[in-house]
Amino acid sequence: MSPISETGNNVTESDNKDTTAGDVPAEEKNAEEEKKENGECKVDLVEKASPPAAAEVEFVHPEGGWGWVVMLASMWCNGSVFGIQNSFGILYVSLLKEFSSKDGVDMTFVGSLSMGMIFFCSPIVSIFTDIFGCRITAVGGAAVGLVGLLASSFVKSLDVMYFTYGIVFACGCSFAYQPSLVILGHYFKKRLGLVNGIVTAGSGVFTVTLPFILSKLLDEVGLQNTLRVLCILMFVLILAGFTYKPLLPPKPAMTQTGFRLSRLFNMNIWKSVGYRIWAFGIPAALYGYYVPYVHLMKHVQERFGPNVNKEILLLCIGITSCLGRFIFGSVADFVKGSNKVFLQVLSFFVIGVMSMMIPLCNIFGGLIAVCLLMGLFDGCFICIMAPIAFELVGAKDVSQAIGFLLGLMSIPMVAGPPIAGFLRDKLGSYDMAFYLAGIPPIIGGIVLCLIPWVEARNRRKQKKEGLSKEQDVSQKMIELEKAQEDAKNKRGDSKSEV
């Protein structure tokens, strides 16, 4: 048995050779030569090359299942990261008491440095996410954030606080935050807008509730112990990161070197004209976007006096922002393709107009109405960022697309409010600062209107190219069939002559 099994292939080949040589050698050889002359071998090559293309199966999103657990974990991430960051104003009061007698440095820089680092690190985080995956990046980031926050609770010098809270804790938050947006695209496509709305609403819920909890903790246990209590949120965030099970298939790599370069620097996102416009329009709009959120409290105090209940304005923004994320997240699922950008355009127009309305409000009730609208459309802008990124670059490239956008956003976020403060110092009021702050969002919204037009033009171009390729293939197939018929006719003529 073993000799037969070892030489089975050789026996088969020899049998075929014998049959070919003994039966119809001349006709078979002539047929093979005619096939080569008439290009039938090309047809065989096409047929051999076609199965791999057909074997590519489009990834189907679960639209639920374990994805709901991932959604809750991502919601916790957004809430804990930005809840702590947005509540820094409460911690700031305790920092003044703790360090004012020891350090003369401005303590507001601790909070601004921390928020800025979350966005500055985003391009680097996107590369880590592409290389190591969402789960490892998120868990590692949450662990670093926990170490930074815990270390801050033992700090006795403000200079060290800059490092532990402003850099270590913030970098950890950045590495934990971005994968929570990317992983959602592994589980949802049709419901991605709604899911992003729920996830981003987590930051609004925590921002509204956490200040009250922190105020009570600071009064009862002090700054250090309050920071240690906040470490519980980061520990839960580590556990939440373990739920980020990736589902999308890995990208194909032609070579090892090309694989590494594509992972480090994904140039595919910049090939999309729509994404390039988006990456320019969003930062352009944000030069004035955050000015009201930073300077509104001071403006209210100057306009209506120190006794007015100005905190109610932040509460109005927080509540309607949560509501806007639910509403517009659901609406985005019914808006096809890149047309989702029009929701961001609407949000920029409304927020720009509302910024210009702030100096015109001479009664406090008018400011409440302005803040309610600003919060509603702030939720609209935030909740559809990830769905738009998925539409413009696709699920496999979305990590770096979001990362580079957040990195570009950090520049206007840091630059806009100080410019407004400079105008207030020179002019004596915030009126001109708020008027000018409304212009960049409107300009950014106008720029974003180009994206659906550009994407529609690209689709028409690709469709036209696809049709021309199909026509070329059909024409070649017709020519090949005609050549085959001619070859058969020649063989028939040769037989009849014999």
Side-chain angles (χ1 to χ4, degrees):
M1 292 294 294
S2 59
I4 296 173
S5 62
E6 288 176 0
T7 60
N9 293 334
N10 294 331
V11 171
T12 305
E13 289 175 4
S14 63
D15 291 343
N16 292 337
K17 287 179 181 177
D18 293 341
T19 304
T20 305
D23 293 342
V24 281
E27 291 182 2
E28 290 294 331
K29 287 180 180 178
N30 291 334
E32 290 296 327
E33 289 176 359
E34 287 174 0
K35 284 183 180 181
K36 290 180 181 179
E37 289 176 0
N38 293 293
E40 289 187 28
C41 58
K42 294 180 181 178
V43 179
D44 295 338
L45 291 175
V46 173
E47 290 175 353
K48 290 178 182 178
S50 59
E56 287 186 17
V57 180
E58 185 179 356
F59 175 74
V60 179
H61 297 75
E63 301 294 343
W66 184 253
W68 298 120
V69 178
V70 174
M71 183 197 72
L72 293 175
S74 299
M75 184 178 180
W76 181 272
C77 175
N78 277 257
S80 57
V81 168
F82 288 103
I84 295 174
Q85 294 292 335
N86 294 337
S87 302
F88 180 78
I90 307 296
L91 300 176
Y92 174 70
V93 177
S94 296
L95 283 172
L96 283 173
K97 297 176 182 177
E98 185 75 19
F99 297 110
S100 60
S101 59
K102 303 175 184 178
D103 300 275
V105 190
D106 186 8
M107 274 158 284
T108 58
F109 189 63
V110 176
S112 60
L113 175 64
S114 180
M115 181 64 83
M117 285 300 296
I118 290 178
F119 293 95
F120 275 126
C121 292
S122 293
I124 301 173
V125 177
S126 65
I127 295 174
F128 272 76
T129 303
D130 281 347
I131 296 175
F132 299 107
C134 294
R135 179 185 288 172
I136 295 176
T137 305
V139 171
V144 172
L146 173 62
V147 171
L149 192 59
L150 184 62
S152 299
S153 67
F154 295 97
V155 166
K156 301 297 182 183
S157 170
L158 187 62
D159 293 333
V160 181
M161 181 73 78
Y162 285 141
F163 176 73
T164 58
Y165 189 93
I167 296 179
V168 178
F169 171 63
C171 287
C173 288
S174 182
F175 275 77
Y177 165 64
Q178 190 175 318
S180 72
L181 299 179
V182 176
I183 193 63
L184 297 176
H186 290 237
Y187 291 87
F188 300 95
K189 185 175 182 180
K190 295 179 180 178
R191 299 173 176 172
L192 187 59
L194 173 62
V195 169
N196 269 278
I198 296 172
V199 167
T200 54
S203 62
V205 173
F206 276 64
T207 299
V208 171
T209 58
L210 201 56
F212 298 101
I213 299 173
L214 289 179
S215 297
K216 192 169 183 63
L217 285 172
L218 288 169
D219 292 337
E220 294 185 0
V221 299
L223 177 63
Q224 282 76 18
N225 289 325
T226 299
L227 293 175
R228 290 163 195 160
V229 172
L230 289 177
C231 289
I232 298 174
L233 301 182
M234 301 305 296
F235 178 75
V236 176
L237 185 53
I238 295 176
L239 301 180
F242 282 107
T243 67
Y244 297 168
K245 180 182 177 182
L247 295 183
L248 286 175
K251 299 179 185 178
M254 297 301 293
T255 62
Q256 190 69 16
T257 305
F259 174 75
R260 290 174 179 173
L261 289 177
S262 65
R263 283 292 185 92
L264 290 176
F265 305 102
N266 188 350
M267 301 304 296
N268 289 333
I269 61 174
W270 301 107
K271 293 178 182 178
S272 169
V273 179
Y275 176 77
R276 293 203 298 266
I277 297 173
W278 195 52
F280 169 78
I282 295 291
L286 294 185
Y287 276 99
Y289 188 93
Y290 285 101
V291 169
Y293 297 93
V294 175
H295 295 286
L296 182 60
M297 296 298 99
K298 185 69 174 175
H299 168 74
V300 170
Q301 189 173 354
E302 292 178 356
R303 176 68 62 90
F304 299 100
N307 297 325
V308 68
N309 187 14
K310 55 185 180 293
E311 287 78 12
I312 192 70
L313 298 178
L314 292 178
L315 189 63
C316 290
I317 292 175
I319 292 174
T320 54
S321 180
C322 290
L323 186 61
R325 297 175 198 205
F326 283 114
I327 294 173
F328 290 103
S330 301
V331 171
D333 289 333
F334 297 97
V335 181
K336 294 182 179 180
S338 58
N339 289 331
K340 292 180 175 67
V341 171
F342 286 125
L343 293 176
Q344 280 193 331
V345 172
L346 177 63
S347 66
F348 282 144
F349 283 168
V350 172
I351 289 175
V353 172
M354 291 301 103
S355 296
M356 295 179 176
M357 291 290 293
I358 290 175
L360 302 177
C361 294
N362 294 319
I363 57 173
F364 193 69
L367 273 181
I368 291 177
V370 166
C371 290
L372 288 172
L373 280 173
M374 288 184 67
L376 187 68
F377 285 93
D378 172 74
C380 173
F381 161 66
I382 292 173
C383 75
I384 60 174
M385 283 184 63
I388 291 174
F390 277 97
E391 293 290 345
L392 295 179
V393 301
K396 292 183 179 180
D397 297 325
V398 75
S399 175
Q400 291 199 28
I402 294 176
F404 279 101
L405 178 67
L406 294 177
L408 292 171
M409 285 170 55
S410 65
I411 300 172
M413 284 178 63
V414 174
I419 294 173
F422 173 79
L423 291 173
R424 187 264 171 214
D425 293 339
K426 290 295 182 181
L427 301 177
S429 72
Y430 281 107
D431 291 358
M432 184 57 66
F434 285 123
Y435 288 138
L436 295 177
I439 296 176
I442 295 175
I443 294 176
I446 294 173
V447 172
L448 295 185
C449 288
L450 296 174
I451 295 176
W453 175 77
V454 168
E455 291 294 305
R457 187 189 64 177
N458 288 339
R459 285 195 298 271
R460 288 195 298 269
K461 183 179 178 182
Q462 291 173 359
K463 187 176 181 180
K464 189 180 294 184
E465 290 176 352
L467 289 174
S468 63
K469 287 180 180 179
E470 288 179 3
Q471 290 174 355
D472 292 341
V473 171
S474 300
Q475 185 66 29
K476 289 180 180 178
M477 292 299 293
I478 292 171
E479 292 176 358
L480 288 172
E481 290 176 359
K482 187 177 180 182
Q484 290 174 6
E485 291 178 1
D486 293 341
K488 289 179 181 178
N489 293 332
K490 287 180 180 179
R491 287 201 301 272
D493 294 340
S494 63
K495 288 180 181 179
S496 61
E497 288 176 2
V498 172

